[in-house]
Amino acid sequence: MMMWRTGRLVSALMLGIAGSVMTHAFMPAAQAQEKPAAPQASAVPRRMPLPMPSPARMAVEGVDTEALKADVEREAAFRARLQAEMEAARGNRAKLNTLLIEAAARTRSVEQQLVNVEARLKPLDAAEQELTASLSERRQVLGQVLAALLRMGRNPPPAMLMRPDDALDAVRSAILMGALLPELRVEAETLAADLSELLRVRSALSEARTRLTTLRISLAEDRERLAVLVKERQRIQTAQNPVSSDDRTRAASLARNTGDVHALVNRLENEVAPAARAAGAAQTAEATRPPMVDPKAGLTAFRDPARITPAIAFADAKGLLPLPVAGTKLHAFGAADGVGGQEKGITLQTQPGAQVTAPADGWVVYAGPFRSYGQLLIINAGGGYHILLAGMERITVELGQFVLAGEPVAIMGTGARGANAGNSTSSTGAAMGQPHLYVEFRKDGNSIDPAPWWAATDNRKVRG
């Protein structure tokens, strides 16, 4: 009697698992998870107002008029805030710089979160596929076990007290059940565990994809806001410090006819007026700056958005500088470059269209294409230090312009550019199809390890 009840219990357990497996394990992934929320209309940069469909048409097409109205109101509120910010910053350089740095920092934070969420999605997708395949492969075995249990449930082993003549059959059944039940129990527990893990993974995937959608909505707004601020900054820069067409032509000619970066910098700072003025300002700032006694004073100086010279000497900025872009490390300084040499800088894989910021205060001495670097930006940080940034799609600053640490200076493209920047001939970035930024620090023309300069959290990202 006890054996018969145990068989019933196992049959019920297996039937319950079978129902769950049929409902969830073999359901297509697209149906098993909730669809992420559609991007809100307010997230998409709009250049012209969208025509409003008639209420009758919206009713016929099943459009959520309340949600549409909310999107329009959010869009209007965003435009109003942006206009108010621009009016407040007009003619106020410190205010504009503050808005630029804050907007760039917020954009970078969202971009880094996107990188993290997308990295989390990859193992979750792989786990879901593996669990689904495993359960599918065992579907036939599960069906056979369930069929056996159902037959045993309909024809239970005879009871010894009621049918003494079937005692031998009862003993045989008891032996069979004793051997079979432990294996059935193990199989049931394994299937239940796999099913539970599959449901957990699908829930995590749904949560991650919803988060991804939310971040992309936020990022679209932040990038539009930043683009408006950068445009205003460059309008003021052009009005106050215009770069002549002759200077642009001369800089481009030097870039085409110079073989290496060190020679290019020397020629630019001696032969192109805006770069020469920038180099002179860097020398003057370095010569007239008093020695820094208290490191806290340097941090205070970094908070002044109205500064027109570097807050502190570049050599004293170790451990204070932010990475110029959100992303993940592809190549580290000093790593093998694949052709018998070593990497002279670091390479970071970024989000398409990611915002690039200046790692430190300094003057732009070159902004344009240069050999295998692609689009190259060179910043004179003073004291014989230069910062090289390469691989961007578009540079948003001008020759001779002074930029602050954290200020937006360029935008990444949608694919790998400048894959052979520096000494690197690695095609890792190109193979992955993602844009990547090359960053190099130089002191008196020699490449140096930038790791000591990055702020603590960014240094861990680069070394990790």
Side-chain angles (χ1 to χ4, degrees):
M1 184 67 70
M2 184 61 69
M3 285 293 182
W4 181 76
R5 288 180 179 173
T6 305
R8 286 282 189 182
L9 289 173
V10 174
S11 298
L13 175 60
M14 295 299 289
L15 282 170
I17 292 172
S20 298
V21 170
M22 298 300 176
T23 305
H24 299 284
F26 307 115
M27 183 187 298
Q31 297 175 1
Q33 63 192 21
E34 295 180 1
K35 294 182 180 178
Q40 299 295 322
S42 61
V44 181
R46 295 176 184 165
R47 298 292 173 256
M48 297 179 61
L50 296 176
M52 289 287 289
S54 67
R57 181 179 176 185
M58 288 192 292
V60 170
E61 295 179 354
V63 175
D64 187 342
T65 56
E66 292 302 320
L68 188 58
K69 266 201 237 175
D71 286 345
V72 172
E73 289 171 1
R74 266 197 301 274
E75 180 83 3
F78 169 71
R79 300 290 175 191
R81 287 196 308 272
L82 188 55
Q83 184 62 32
E85 286 179 350
M86 294 305 301
E87 290 298 329
R90 201 172 299 280
N92 187 332
R93 181 178 174 278
K95 178 67 173 176
L96 182 59
N97 285 347
T98 299
L99 291 174
L100 277 164
I101 293 171
E102 288 177 350
R106 188 163 49 248
T107 301
R108 175 187 150 156
S109 173
V110 174
E111 287 170 346
Q112 188 61 55
Q113 290 178 63
L114 272 172
V115 170
N116 297 340
V117 171
E118 288 179 352
R120 184 174 172 232
L121 278 172
K122 291 178 183 178
L124 285 173
D125 276 328
E128 181 192 31
Q129 292 172 11
E130 183 179 348
L131 284 166
T132 302
S134 174
L135 287 167
S136 296
E137 288 173 2
R138 291 152 64 191
R139 188 176 187 176
Q140 185 176 1
V141 175
L142 176 60
Q144 292 173 350
V145 171
L146 287 172
L149 287 172
L150 287 171
R151 285 195 299 272
M152 292 171 63
R154 293 194 189 100
N155 300 289
M160 288 181 65
L161 295 178
M162 297 177 64
R163 298 279 303 277
D165 53 321
D166 287 334
L168 183 58
D169 288 339
V171 170
R172 287 173 178 166
S173 296
I175 293 172
L176 177 62
M177 290 295 290
L180 185 61
L181 279 175
E183 294 183 10
L184 290 177
R185 188 178 296 110
V186 170
E187 183 68 18
E189 290 172 354
T190 302
L191 286 169
D194 285 353
L195 180 59
S196 176
E197 178 63 11
L198 180 60
L199 295 177
R200 186 197 67 78
V201 167
R202 284 183 173 169
S203 175
L205 273 170
S206 177
E207 180 185 342
R209 286 176 178 139
T210 301
R211 176 65 176 156
L212 204 61
T213 300
T214 303
L215 288 172
R216 283 175 176 157
I217 291 170
S218 174
L219 183 60
E221 254 189 23
D222 287 340
R223 284 179 174 174
E224 183 184 2
R225 180 170 179 265
L226 196 53
V228 171
L229 292 169
V230 167
K231 184 177 180 180
E232 175 64 13
R233 178 195 64 186
Q234 293 313 112
R235 184 191 67 78
I236 295 171
Q237 173 70 21
T238 301
Q240 296 178 349
N241 301 289
V243 179
S244 70
S245 59
D246 289 343
D247 289 331
R248 294 179 196 275
T249 302
R250 179 60 178 160
S253 176
L254 289 176
R256 284 193 303 270
N257 298 298
T258 305
D260 63 79
V261 173
H262 183 51
L264 175 64
V265 170
N266 284 336
R267 296 192 67 183
L268 285 166
E269 293 183 344
N270 284 287
E271 301 177 33
V272 180
R277 287 194 295 270
Q283 289 177 355
T284 300
E286 195 70 20
T288 58
R289 179 185 294 107
M292 187 177 71
V293 179
D294 183 7
K296 292 182 180 179
L299 290 173
T300 302
F302 265 120
R303 299 190 187 101
D304 176 17
R307 62 188 185 274
I308 56 174
T309 59
I312 58 176
F314 189 79
D316 296 328
K318 291 181 178 179
L320 300 178
L321 305 184
L323 278 174
V325 73
T328 54
K329 180 186 69 175
L330 286 180
H331 308 297
F333 175 84
D337 64 4
V339 291
Q342 294 181 320
E343 297 284 352
K344 291 185 175 181
I346 64 171
T347 304
L348 302 169
Q349 181 176 299
T350 78
Q351 284 283 308
Q355 187 65 230
V356 181
T357 59
D361 296 350
W363 290 265
V364 176
V365 294
Y366 184 69
F370 182 68
R371 299 189 176 274
S372 62
Y373 285 84
Q375 289 293 322
L376 174 64
L377 177 65
I378 304 176
I379 298 173
N380 186 328
Y385 291 94
H386 288 84
I387 299 170
L388 280 61
L389 302 173
M392 304 84 66
E393 181 175 73
R394 182 162 58 91
I395 297 172
T396 57
V397 289
E398 286 278 6
L399 272 174
Q401 184 171 343
F402 180 73
V403 294
L404 308 182
E407 186 175 345
V409 294
I411 297 172
M412 301 301 293
T414 56
R417 294 171 182 267
N420 295 330
N423 278 350
S424 174
T425 58
S426 170
S427 61
T428 301
M432 298 173 103
Q434 290 286 102
H436 56 278
L437 180 73
Y438 176 76
V439 186
E440 183 179 338
F441 286 6
R442 291 193 170 210
K443 166 65 172 166
D444 299 327
N446 298 312
S447 302
I448 59 174
D449 185 0
W453 272 268
W454 304 129
T457 53
D458 286 339
N459 206 339
R460 283 196 292 272
K461 290 175 189 173
V462 173
R463 290 181 178 275

